[in-house]
Each structure stands twice: as C-alpha cells, then as structure tokens.
Amino acid sequence: MEGRNQTAALQFLIVGFSDLPQLQIPLFLTFTLIYLMTLTGNLLIMSTIYSSPYLHRPMYFFLINLSIIDISGISVTFPHMLAHFFLKGALISLTACLLQVYCFGLLLVSEFLLLTFMALDRYVAICNPLHYRTIMNKNMCIQLVAVSWTAGLTLPLPHVVLMSGLSYCQSHTINHFFCDASALMKLSCTKIHTIETMNYTLGSIFALAPFIFVITSYVKVISVILKTKSTKGRRKAFSTCGSHLAVVILFYGSICPTYMRPTSTFSLRDNKIVSLLYTTLPPLCNPIIYSLNNQDFKNVLRKKRRKSMD
C-alpha cells in the first residue's frame, strides 16, 4: 500500500527546452507550425482517401490507419511539450508519465506492424497480381489492421508494469520534452536489466524481424518491376512502392538507433535532440511522401483541384 501511495504521489519535472531561454519563442513557433502541418497533412490524406472511391483499396486503407497513428503519436508528445514554453518546465505525476510511455509504445508497435503489412500488400500486388484481390480482400485487411492495433495495446503493458515498480531515489528532473521510457529509466536507482532485456527481445521481434521482411520483400518486388515491359506500369509500381519504402527507411532510421541500445549509454541531452527526429519527421513527412510520390494520389488531388476551380 505504501508503494502504491508513493507511486501516486511521485512527480517529475520535465525540463523540455527551458534550458534554452533565448530560443523559447522561435522554438515554440517552429514546433507549433510542425504540429499544425502534421495534423493538416494527415487529415488531408484521410479525407482524400475517404471521399475518393478510386482509392478505396487495401494500400490506402492501411494508409488511413498510418495517418491515425501519426496524428496520435505527435499528439501524445507535442501539446504537453508546447505547454512547457509557458510553464518553464512542467510537473507530471508518475502515473501520467507511465500513461504517456504506454501510449507512445502502443503507437510504436502498431506502426512497426502496419508498415510490415503495407509491404506485404505491395508484395502480393506486384509479385502475385492474379490472386491479389483474393488474398488481400476486405476481411484480410481488417484482420491485419486489428492485429497491429491489438499488439500495440497489449505488448507495452508488461514494460509499463515493470517500470511502475522502479524506485526513483535520484533526481526527479527529466531532461526531455516528454516522458520517454529511456529518460525515465535513467533516473531509477533500481536495476533495469530485466526491462532492457525485454526491450531488446521485443525490438528484435517487432522491429528488426519486420524490417528484414520488408527489405527482403522489396528486393523481390524491385526485381519483378524491372522485368515489367510496360514503362507506364513500371513507373506506377515504382511510385507506390517507392513511397512506402521511403516511409519505412525514415521511420526505422530515426527510431531504432535510439531504442536498440543500453540505457547506460544515453546522454539525456543528446537523446532529447534525437527524439525530436523520430517524433516529428515520420508523421510530418509521410503525407508529403505519399502525396508527391504516389501517382494515384496525385491524380485524385488534380481532379479535386479541377473541380474546385470549375
């Protein structure tokens, strides 16, 4: 009972970027702009797909869910971070901190799996086109999306439960802009070997293994595309596959170097800067990549633009 009361009463001070007083206004304006652009871009993707029957296909069904994840992910961290610019650091309870860790983990796992299923969709479409409609039918797509969200909801729970049992007897100041799991564990005076082992295990299963699958499948996809005689078909295939591959590389490249290493090697200041990359770049750039590099999407946007001008 005493441990529970201590957990409920324990609070942390999130520093945010208050250690850069001369940059408060520029940083606030920049991050607000990034947040609004991310929301606008992803909402545009979702509304365009929803209102265009031509895009009611598996790839774009997955893309809607990716936009939901991107909006949710940046909304987990940015509103609280923006408040720090006015509060000059903000107190947060351990319970609320762990909830933020859980939500971030939920979206992280869901995105790993969703990007994998999107690669599977492209693999079947390019390498087995005659059976594409049979394999990637509506029920299959719903089941794959359900798997990604269910895994996201369940897998971070043991991690958060273990973190709730840690003792924080050192400083309660988090040199970060949100309750990042690595930054929180850095403050613990309890051994975190079990949590780190779980991180590596889950990371290998739900990050590295899917990444290997994605790269392997795209090697096969690219080899099939290069054998295609139709220039138009080859260009269209490269546009859709290239968009997804760029998103995968951006996501994995920004997040894996941070979480697939021991907590003892973290520099909280450096980790805060790196964290900005994986919390802002994927959700901000994904709509740009898909809208500029996807021929189907560009065609739909052109039609909508013409209709609005008529």
Side-chain angles (χ1 to χ4, degrees), residues 37 41-42 45 243 247 281-294 297-298:
M37 288 176 61
N42 283 283
I45 290 281
S243 299
V247 167
L281 283 182
L284 176 64
C285 295
N286 287 353
I288 298 173
I289 292 171
Y290 276 105
S291 60
L292 294 181
N293 198 38
N294 186 295
F297 207 88
K298 286 195 290 187

Side-chain angles (χ1 to χ4, degrees), residues 43-304:
L43 288 173
L44 176 62
I45 290 281
M46 294 169 64
S47 62
T48 301
I49 295 173
Y50 179 78
S51 62
S52 305
Y54 177 69
L55 297 179
H56 291 180
R57 289 179 280 167
M59 181 67 179
Y60 300 101
F61 174 65
F62 293 136
L63 185 54
I64 283 181
N65 281 272
L66 181 62
S67 290
I68 293 173
I69 290 175
D70 286 340
I71 290 174
S72 302
I74 199 167
S75 296
V76 165
T77 58
F78 263 53
H80 199 249
M81 179 187 71
L82 292 174
H84 295 170
F85 289 100
F86 298 101
L87 301 175
K88 298 187 184 303
L91 288 175
I92 185 171
S93 68
L94 177 58
T95 301
C97 201
L98 291 175
L99 179 61
Q100 196 174 52
V101 170
Y102 171 74
C103 290
F104 193 79
L106 184 166
L107 297 166
L108 199 61
V109 172
S110 297
E111 186 159 358
F112 274 126
L113 291 177
L114 187 63
L115 289 175
T116 305
F117 296 146
M118 292 173 77
L120 174 64
D121 173 77
R122 291 299 84 203
Y123 176 82
V124 176
I126 302 297
C127 300
N128 200 358
L130 297 179
H131 297 92
Y132 177 71
R133 291 182 180 273
T134 303
I135 298 173
M136 300 302 295
N137 55 62
K138 182 178 179 180
N139 288 336
M140 175 59 73
C141 294
I142 293 174
Q143 289 172 15
L144 291 176
V145 168
V147 167
S148 67
W149 283 107
T150 301
L153 286 166
T154 56
L155 287 174
L157 279 174
H159 182 86
V160 173
V161 170
L162 287 175
M163 288 186 64
S164 68
L166 297 177
S167 297
Y168 300 95
C169 52
Q170 299 179 21
S171 169
H172 290 170
T173 300
I174 299 178
N175 187 11
H176 215 292
F177 59 90
F178 73 102
C179 277
D180 180 65
S182 58
L184 193 59
M185 287 191 294
K186 190 83 171 179
L187 299 180
S188 174
C189 55
T190 308
K191 291 183 178 180
I192 56 174
H193 176 72
T194 302
I195 300 177
E196 288 191 324
T197 301
M198 182 181 294
N199 279 348
Y200 302 143
T201 303
L202 293 179
S204 299
I205 296 173
F206 292 98
L208 294 182
F211 182 68
I212 292 172
F213 170 81
V214 170
I215 297 301
T216 304
S217 65
Y218 268 104
V219 169
K220 177 65 175 177
V221 165
I222 292 173
S223 67
V224 171
I225 293 175
L226 292 175
K227 295 176 183 178
T228 303
K229 295 181 180 180
S230 170
T231 304
K232 182 178 179 181
R234 190 161 55 240
R235 188 183 302 115
K236 182 178 180 181
F238 269 125
S239 71
T240 55
C241 294
S243 299
H244 180 248
L245 191 57
V247 167
V248 169
I249 293 173
L250 178 64
F251 179 69
Y252 276 87
S254 62
I255 203 163
C256 285
T258 300
Y259 285 103
M260 295 299 291
R261 58 176 176 157
T263 304
S264 57
T265 65
F266 284 172
S267 162
L268 290 180
R269 183 180 178 84
D270 294 342
N271 193 41
K272 180 167 59 173
I273 303 302
V274 173
S275 297
L276 272 176
L277 296 179
Y278 67 73
T279 54
T280 58
L281 283 182
L284 176 64
C285 295
N286 287 353
I288 298 173
I289 292 171
Y290 276 105
S291 60
L292 294 181
N293 198 38
N294 186 295
Q295 195 61 45
D296 288 338
F297 207 88
K298 286 195 290 187
N299 291 338
V300 170
L301 289 176
R302 288 194 194 101
K303 290 179 181 178
K304 286 183 174 294

